[in-house]
Every structure is written in C-alpha cells, then in structure tokens.
Amino acid sequence: MDRRAFFKVVGAAGAGTFLVACHANERGGGTATEVASGGTLYVLADTSSIHLDPAKSQNLAITTVGFIHRRLTAWKTSPDQPATVVPDLATDTGRPSADGRTWTYTLKDGLKLSDGTPITADTIKYGVERSFAAAFSGGLGYHKTLLDGGSDYRGPFEGGELASIEVQDDKTIVFHLNRSYGDWPWIVSMPAFAPVPRGKGTDANYDTQPVTSGPYQVSAYDKGVAVHFTRNPNWVAATDVARTGLPDEVVYQLGLDDDVISQRLIADSGNDRNAFANPFVAPAQLAQIQGNPAVSNRLVTSKSGALAYVSLNVRRGPLANPQVRQAFQYAVDKVAYQVATAGNADLAGPIATTLITEGIVGREVYDLYPAPPTGDVDKAKQMLAAAGYPNGLDLDFPVSTSNSLSDKAQAIQAALQRAGIRTNLRPLDDDTWTSVVTGNDGDYDLTLSSWQPDFPSANANIQPLFGTSEIGNGGYNLSRYSVPEVDDLIARAQGIVDPAEAGKLWAQADRRIMQDSPIVPLIYTRNSFLHGSKVGNFEVGAFPAYPNYLQVGLAK
C-alpha cells in the first residue's frame, strides 16, 4: 500500500490578485480563476488528527505542515517539469564539500518564529536533535542514519548535543555526514528541519500547539473535529519563495466520511465552495463526477503518481528462481488492475514497466518483458513449465484491507489464476499486514503495495524498496531483494552531487533490478482531487501526484 497519509493546505500574505489556470493540468480541464489574498480555505479530511510536531510528521514539503513550518529548503513544482529544490529559510540549497559529506547553510536575515523568537542556526539544530528522541519519533528519518553519529544518538534530553550538527554562528549551520550524499538538499526540506526554540517541544502538547515559522500559526486544535490555522504575524512573504500565503485562515474539518466529503463538494454550497478534499476521490464517486459537467471541471487528476506493484518474496520457495518471477511479468493483467483501481484505465493511471516514477530526473522508459496490457498467459505458462512448474504454483498472498486494496488484489489473483498461479488471498488489517511484510520473519510469498517517493530523486524510488538495509526491521524492501551489485550502484549514486550524473546510475540500477524481477510494476497511480468552485491555483505537478497546497488561493 502507499504507506503515507498526506495532509495539505495553503500559505499567508501579500496583497494582490492573481490570474491563474485553476485546472492547469491537461487532465483537469476547467477555466481560469482569479484568486486574491483573503478568505477562509476549508480542507475536508477523513482523518481524526494531524501531526503538527515537525519531528512526528511524514508530510511532503508541499502539504499541510508546510503552512506552519518552514525548513532550510523547499520544493518548486510544475505540471510540465520535474520538481526542483529551492531555498526556504536558507539563502541557497546548500554548499557541499568536495566529497559531498559536509553541507553548509546560511540563514536569511530577519527571520522570526510565531512567538517572536529569532530563527537561528541553533533553532534548526535543536529541531533536528529533537527528532532523535523516542518520545517524538514517527516522522521522516532519513537524516538519522546520514548524520555522523546519528545511529547512536538518542536526542537532546538524554544524549546531549549531536556534534555532527555544527553551529558556527547565529546564521551558519554545518551538517557532517557519515558518507557522501548528493541528495542532502532534499533531506533538509523534510519536517524535522523546521526550527524549534531550544527548550520548547518537551511534551506531547507540542503536537497540537507548535511554535511556527510558516505563514500560519495554530489558533485551535479540537481532535476529531477541526484544526484552525490563522496568520502568523512574524512571517515575511518576501523571504518565502515556496508559499503564496493567500487565505487569511485555513480550517481543517476532521473525521469526515469519504463519501460525505465527495457529496458535499459535488453540491458546492456555502463554505464548501471554498474547500477541497484531503483524501483522493474514491472510484465510486469518479463515475458520478465525470458524468456531471458542472462538477467534472472541478476535478483535478494527476498525470501519473505512485508506483503500484506486486512484490515477490525472492527468499521463498519457487520465487527464489528468477525465471519463475519473470513469468509473473506476463501473467498479470494490468488492465484489470486499472479497472479495479478507478473504473477505467484513463483515470487509474498509465501502465508501468519501470521502477523510477514520472517527474523524476534519471527516469528512462523501457520494457524488458513486452506483453499485451492484459498479459501473455501462454508465455507465462511456458516459462513456469521450463522452470520446473508445469502444474503451476500455490502461493500465500497477504493484502491490506485499507484503500480498497482487497478489491485490487482480487483482480491480480484472477489474472494469475489464468497462468496456473494459485494464490491464497489473506486480507489483513493495515497494522497486521505491515507487521507481516516489514517484519523479520518474511512469512509470505507475494503482496500488493504502492510507493510514493518521499522526495523527488530516483534515490527515493530505488533505495527504500531494493536496498539490502531495508529488509525487515520495518523496512519497505518487501521482495527481500539483496544483490551486492545493486547495493553498490545505490551507494555510488547517492554519493554524486550532480543530479544528472547520479541519474545515470539510478537508471542503470532500475534496469539491473528489473532483470531479476523482484516486483511486477502495474501502473503509475493517478490521483484525482475535487475542490469547490471558489478554489484556484489548485494544480498537480509532475511530482508529487498531489496539489501544491502552498500555492492555493480563493476567488475574489
């Protein structure tokens, strides 16, 4: 499954009016909407709570906590170009040493937190150090294994300071890594790099009442009901290239049923005209929306998105044989999966044959196993027979019951059955499924999942899914794939600062992995989002497959 929940909203600030394409995406249609500073933006969410403590958040840089927390860097997104990293609190995206192991940042002048505290290098250092404390864990943690000494550090409350985060003066901070890492500018765009005043955030209340650096501050948090963001008086728009900060206020309405959210946005009345949905539009509602021109012009669909795939446990019985695994590439019916996902192929997303998702530097398009979109059953049977399984296979297939994955798994099960691959579909609640497939035992044969990279680099496609270090212990290498040549390619690519040069190695790793067939790519899952008639600047970039909420505004 796509293991992340995303919560999104907007920014705060200057006066002025903007004429923009409300549905700039080629799949969204619609007309231009004139947006201006002011008004209240509503987000209709199916979750009962939101982590606002940056140490606990897994939000992407363009989603919810981006309204209240700035980081050293931010993302610039566009429908037509790969996402790029841009300065946020820092004056640039980082100055690396020649070996890519030391990164230096200088903060912009005049930055303050919502409580008036100056944003200094020490507030960044303390914020990162907090994320190592067990009491404040749960957020994105790439930095924890990259910072020198980070693997043994336990946070500022019991471990003192982390020496590899060096504060040279109020405006200069230096990070010392344990190895070369060219994607460090993306890492410092993650929530843990938001500033926290030293001594603050020592209790659980910080998750609902944090000190903020973005366009908004938290004025009220009623779990299961609503969260209110109002303007942060100390935010200066001129220092922020990532956020337009148009609405005066952002209100999350929590704990709503998905169907209720869709029906409210379809009706488009009252405050719902100023609202958008936090969850994706469910397949059941997509057909209804597409058949109604008054509503369909408010539907925005990404061009592509997370990689959906079948993961084959390479350490289990017949699946240890690469020829058996390659037979799966021909046995699957990707069209059936598209239909199970969104009712039709167009809304579900394009068929996938590679690992690196669209909108990321280094992606190459190829197909090592060319077959009709519905599969090549005869070829699959021939390959299984040649591998010693003329009578097919009997395999265990646990699947999460969240996000309609059980229905999608049934489409995979039926397709495999045609080739004599019989599967015992084992529906599990999401926590149990996660424990089974990311635990150390590896007691399963295949499973169904999807992956949305945490940052716009092929690094985030390849390493978490296929690095040996990600097997078990909660890691997401669900195929339990371990090949020294691939681990070497990953390490070499991670050490290159130039994205174009690194991209060449990532493309090489992509092909090398697919030769071994540890997974079957299915589709690049499109996400569809619905918004009210007064919401503008609602645009999905090439990456990620989510609207950039920091750009959204409301009609005059």
Side-chain angles (χ1 to χ4, degrees), residues 204-215:
N205 290 338
Y206 202 75
D207 202 25
T208 59
Q209 292 293 328
V211 180
T212 68
S213 51

Side-chain angles (χ1 to χ4, degrees), residues 470-546:
E470 303 307 304
I471 297 173
N473 299 311
Y476 225 72
N477 184 340
L478 307 186
S479 58
R480 304 192 176 244
Y481 177 79
S482 177
V483 173
E485 180 185 348
V486 171
D487 286 336
D488 180 64
L489 282 169
I490 290 172
R492 288 164 55 199
Q494 287 179 335
I496 297 175
V497 173
D498 180 2
E501 287 302 310
K504 296 175 183 177
L505 286 181
W506 291 122
Q508 186 177 337
D510 191 322
R511 284 179 176 268
R512 177 64 184 83
I513 294 165
M514 283 304 299
Q515 288 174 11
D516 290 332
S517 189
I519 75 167
V520 181
L522 297 171
I523 65 172
Y524 301 111
T525 310
R526 287 190 174 119
N527 298 332
S528 293
F529 301 88
L530 189 61
H531 64 80
S533 57
K534 287 192 173 183
V535 174
N537 285 21
F538 198 83
E539 183 176 273
V540 178
F543 178 94
Y546 302 89

Side-chain angles (χ1 to χ4, degrees), residues 124-156:
I124 304 293
K125 173 180 170 70
Y126 177 69
V128 177
E129 289 175 338
R130 273 187 77 251
S131 70
F132 284 84
F136 305 108
S137 63
L140 296 175
Y142 290 84
H143 59 286
K144 295 180 182 180
T145 57
L146 290 170
L147 286 164
D148 194 29
S151 296
D152 299 319
Y153 182 60
R154 296 296 176 263

